[in-house]
Amino acid sequence: PSDLLCKLAREQYRAFHAQHPAHKADHLYNFCITALAIKDFIFEQLGITNRSHKQPYHDEWAKVRELVAATEIANTSKHLVLRDNKQNPKLPKTKSVKHTTSSVVDVYLDKVGNLHKVLRENVPDYEIELEDGTTLQLWQFTNAVIRYWEIYFQSNSIPYNRQSEDEYYGNIT
């Protein structure tokens, strides 16, 4: 599970920094698939294989609107149609995922250590409208999912080793 949570953070980074709307959508989709896969990794880590023993976990995760949205985005993109346990089509709780733009500020240090801030307007973004009508930009949404899993791992004694900055940013030294 720790490796997958690190992968989730890298997917967030790629989704946020992608400049082309199609690439940003691809990375958001990959982020959601990874967020969904964490559930299966947790079951393996805890040795839970029985469907009825998994249900309380699914019930708990179904209360987290961002996890619900990530699950629905992953499954809708993969299967086109969401289905219930009896294979009947069901409507997603997540209201929408739509392309939008945002303003961002690039913050960086130059070679001599001077701090720079550069405002960029109309940067491709995605907006996720959750079941309760709350709207989150891509970074807010992905950050909420990652934060949930970090707290969940900690409170359930699931080992989590944060990755190095070089691994996170993809630096080769």
Side-chain angles (χ1 to χ4, degrees), residues 69-89:
T71 298
E72 289 180 343
I73 292 166
N75 282 330
T76 302
S77 297
K78 181 179 175 187
H79 301 292
L80 185 63
V81 175
L82 294 180
R83 297 190 180 276
D84 63 20
N85 291 338
K86 296 179 182 177
Q87 297 306 308
N88 295 316

Side-chain angles (χ1 to χ4, degrees), residues 17-32:
H17 290 283
Q19 294 300 305
H20 192 282
H23 288 229
K24 190 171 283 282
D26 289 347
H27 293 306
L28 173 59
Y29 170 61
N30 290 336
F31 175 91
C32 291

Side-chain angles (χ1 to χ4, degrees), residues 16-168:
F16 181 72
H17 290 283
Q19 294 300 305
H20 192 282
H23 288 229
K24 190 171 283 282
D26 289 347
H27 293 306
L28 173 59
Y29 170 61
N30 290 336
F31 175 91
C32 291
I33 290 196
T34 303
L36 175 59
I38 286 176
K39 297 174 186 179
D40 290 331
F41 277 65
I42 288 172
F43 289 138
E44 288 299 318
Q45 175 79 25
L46 300 176
I48 300 170
T49 57
N50 183 298
R51 179 176 270 200
S52 65
H53 294 150
K54 292 179 180 182
Q55 194 56 50
Y57 293 85
H58 288 297
D59 292 344
E60 178 182 345
W61 296 329
K63 295 175 187 172
V64 182
R65 59 193 188 161
E66 293 88 356
L67 287 186
V68 169
T71 298
E72 289 180 343
I73 292 166
N75 282 330
T76 302
S77 297
K78 181 179 175 187
H79 301 292
L80 185 63
V81 175
L82 294 180
R83 297 190 180 276
D84 63 20
N85 291 338
K86 296 179 182 177
Q87 297 306 308
N88 295 316
K90 72 175 187 176
L91 291 175
K93 294 177 183 177
T94 307
K95 295 185 185 229
S96 68
V97 177
K98 54 186 168 186
H99 176 258
T100 186
T101 59
S102 293
S103 298
V104 298
V105 177
D106 292 328
V107 179
Y108 65 94
L109 294 173
D110 64 22
K111 292 179 182 178
V112 294
N114 296 315
L115 181 67
H116 296 271
K117 300 176 203 168
V118 179
L119 175 65
R120 290 190 296 132
E121 302 282 347
N122 298 315
V123 175
D125 202 353
Y126 278 89
E127 185 176 273
I128 297 91
E129 186 176 357
L130 305 175
E131 62 184 299
D132 66 358
T134 301
T135 301
L136 300 175
Q137 298 305 113
L138 184 140
W139 181 261
Q140 295 171 301
F141 170 71
T142 57
N143 203 50
V145 171
I146 289 173
R147 190 73 187 120
Y148 173 83
W149 284 127
E150 288 174 337
I151 292 168
Y152 186 90
F153 279 34
Q154 183 178 25
S155 63
N156 289 279
S157 300
I158 298 170
Y160 174 47
N161 300 312
R162 289 189 181 271
Q163 60 199 315
S164 69
E165 284 188 16
D166 283 340
E167 184 176 31
Y168 176 74

